[in-house]
Amino acid sequence: MIQITEPRPITETLAADARPDLLGLSREALSETLAPVTDRPFRAKQIYQALYERAVRDLSEITELPRDLRERLDERFRVGLPDVASRHLSADGTAKYLFRLRDGATIEAVDIPDRGRRTFCISSQAGCALACAFCVTGYWGAGRNLTAGEIVGQVLAIRADRDLPMEGLNLVFMGMGEPLLNLPNVKAALDILTEWISPHRITVSTVGILPGLEEMARWERRPNLAISLHAPDEESRGRIMPINRTYPLAELMAALRRYPLEKGRKLTFEYILIRGVNDSLRDADRLSRLLSGLRAKVNLIPVNPDPVLGESMVPPDDAAVEAFKERLRQRGWIATVRRRRGDDVSAACGQLRAFGRDPRGVRARTPKTQL
Ligand code: SAH
């Protein structure tokens, strides 16, 4: 592991800066916001492009604008790119970013290069209230919703850091938080991001918040949908995912059967494999029955253990993972096993904890759920 930067304290100027943020505004809202300074539509367009295509940190960097306009803009507005508090580069090329937001909240995002592809895994909330038994973010508890600017800002900040264009990226909302509990801001961020990135390259992952799914079903341009399923029946899902008591599996599956899928598209079902909990071949058979009739693929994720999760969160051995996958394949499903990436920098699935918050607590607290 190569540690490039250490967490550093929030700067006073950052905290004290009261200028409104331009990031996260739609084209129309940006024009309206800029109107007192410039009412020329092409200026708003230039600024919009510079914010998102070039990921400028500062309005004074938009040198194609006349100097006096730049100065007036800079006096009144800021570009709220999140501060990179630390960055860890894994031996496999995965980079984990810890961002510090204006109010001091910390979130994580991961840059995952994979052969020709590149995927950013981004956060939608600064924490998570859902308390899934296998998830480190959930262990630390709830945090506030991110603004649209803070969501888009993660993409821009990683791009700026790595000098990457917007084109060619894949995005997954699989970082911290539950995107469907912050849907208005996620939608506003997607409206901007999908100007450059096809919704087919964007995946929103959810535990299955039913009102959120119903709303997404009405969107005109829908990203791919991934469902964190993790267990094939009510009882065992309820034990590892408390949200199952609010939105039971049966209702979730019914909502997914109604969910409009474009031609050729599939739902992704994420299924964490936990030894002795949900990894038997009977579980694979039950899972197969549960999905029957759906256009779906299954992504198996051997659970990533973590000290805060307790002793019971152990992945099955490779042979058991392989057997589970094979059973699903025999039953006609597309099933893949998610490779572990960024393991050495705790960037792997479910390990995003925003270390900046209280790293000492890791030892001080006892695991929340015992299976
Ligand atoms: N709240 C959303 C998005 C964030 S979680 C959701 O639940 O889908 C993104 C993925 O990471 C989910 O599939 C989640 O189940 C998985 N994950 C969480 N903890 C994990 C762990 N310890 N090991 C492997 N995957 C984990």
Side-chain angles (χ1 to χ4, degrees):
M1 177 189 107
I2 311 153
Q3 177 150 349
I4 302 174
T5 45
E6 276 292 340
R8 56 192 160 83
I10 188 161
T11 55
E12 273 171 33
T13 44
L14 184 73
D17 188 348
R19 295 170 302 168
D21 186 5
L22 292 184
L23 273 192
L25 300 178
S26 66
R27 277 185 191 274
E28 301 72 44
L30 182 70
S31 296
E32 277 168 33
T33 306
L34 294 175
V37 185
T38 172
D39 57 5
R40 313 269 280 288
F42 79 99
R43 291 293 181 213
K45 196 171 168 201
Q46 278 178 315
I47 294 167
Y48 191 85
Q49 304 287 107
L51 289 177
Y52 299 112
E53 257 164 48
R54 301 216 308 270
V56 293
R57 254 191 189 276
D58 213 293
L59 293 163
S60 58
E61 287 172 42
I62 314 178
T63 47
E64 61 270 39
L65 301 176
R67 180 192 289 262
D68 67 315
L69 176 58
R70 258 183 284 159
E71 281 168 8
R72 275 182 292 135
L73 284 169
D74 199 44
E75 268 165 35
R76 299 173 82 127
F77 305 110
R78 65 190 176 88
V79 183
L81 276 192
D83 214 23
V84 178
S86 72
R87 178 181 59 173
H88 293 79
L89 196 61
S90 161
D92 67 14
T94 302
K96 182 175 71 163
Y97 288 82
L98 177 71
F99 293 116
R100 187 169 285 114
L101 307 176
R102 265 167 68 75
D103 62 351
T106 48
I107 54 166
E108 292 186 320
V110 190
D111 169 23
I112 312 158
D114 189 11
R115 291 166 223 139
R117 285 159 56 105
R118 182 153 219 135
T119 304
F120 290 177
C121 173
I122 58 177
S123 295
S124 55
Q125 299 180 308
C128 189
L130 299 181
C132 296
F134 44 79
C135 179
V136 175
T137 305
Y139 171 80
W140 287 104
R144 69 170 172 84
N145 283 338
L146 301 186
T147 64
E150 287 166 339
I151 295 171
V152 179
Q154 296 168 65
V155 177
L156 299 179
I158 301 178
R159 276 184 43 214
D161 190 59
R162 308 223 114 190
D163 201 14
L164 294 165
M166 192 79 106
E167 288 78 15
L169 290 181
N170 298 279
L171 300 181
V172 293
F173 283 76
M174 295 186 189
M176 296 165 65
E178 168 51 51
L180 270 59
L181 290 178
N182 184 18
L183 208 48
N185 295 345
V186 166
K187 170 78 162 62
L190 285 173
D191 284 344
I192 294 168
L193 292 165
T194 52
E195 290 201 34
W196 287 273
I197 305 173
S198 156
H200 292 163
R201 286 173 169 267
I202 303 177
T203 300
V204 171
S205 178
T206 176
V207 296
I209 306 291
L210 295 188
L213 282 177
E214 273 157 31
E215 195 191 320
M216 281 181 74
R218 293 192 294 267
W219 289 359
E220 232 163 78
R221 303 185 76 209
R222 285 182 299 279
N224 300 317
L225 190 61
I227 304 293
S228 285
L229 199 65
H230 307 323
D233 59 79
E234 301 284 358
E235 203 269 323
S236 50
R237 191 167 193 258
R239 257 194 301 156
I240 54 175
M241 299 176 72
I243 192 67
N244 199 66
R245 291 172 218 148
T246 312
Y247 302 116
L249 193 53
E251 289 176 33
L252 171 59
M253 297 313 292
L256 294 174
R257 284 174 204 287
R258 292 192 298 269
Y259 193 82
L261 276 182
E262 278 171 49
K263 207 160 166 266
R265 296 274 126 193
K266 288 186 170 62
L267 295 169
T268 299
F269 285 90
E270 294 161 280
Y271 191 100
I272 288 187
L273 287 165
I274 309 167
R275 189 187 296 180
V277 173
N278 62 359
D279 63 337
S280 71
L281 293 181
R282 272 192 65 207
D283 290 321
D285 290 340
R286 279 196 220 129
L287 176 59
S288 169
R289 272 198 299 279
L290 187 71
L291 301 184
S292 68
L294 281 169
R295 267 153 52 198
K297 56 187 173 195
V298 180
N299 196 202
L300 300 170
I301 315 163
V303 70
N304 285 309
D306 191 282
V308 303
L309 300 174
E311 311 274 294
S312 43
M313 287 300 151
V314 186
D317 58 33
D318 289 352
V321 172
E322 209 43 37
F324 197 99
K325 183 184 83 181
E326 275 314 310
R327 179 60 70 97
L328 288 175
R329 288 192 172 176
Q330 279 161 14
R331 302 218 174 276
W333 298 103
I334 299 172
T336 49
V337 176
R338 191 179 291 171
R339 286 190 301 134
R340 294 172 72 129
R341 302 292 310 270
D343 240 359
D344 51 344
V345 294
S346 297
C349 278
Q351 293 190 310
L352 303 184
R353 74 171 86 222
F355 269 102
R357 208 186 291 182
D358 182 10
R360 289 156 307 154
V362 173
R363 252 170 293 130
R365 290 173 63 170
T366 47
K368 195 164 11 191
T369 314
Q370 289 293 353
L371 290 174

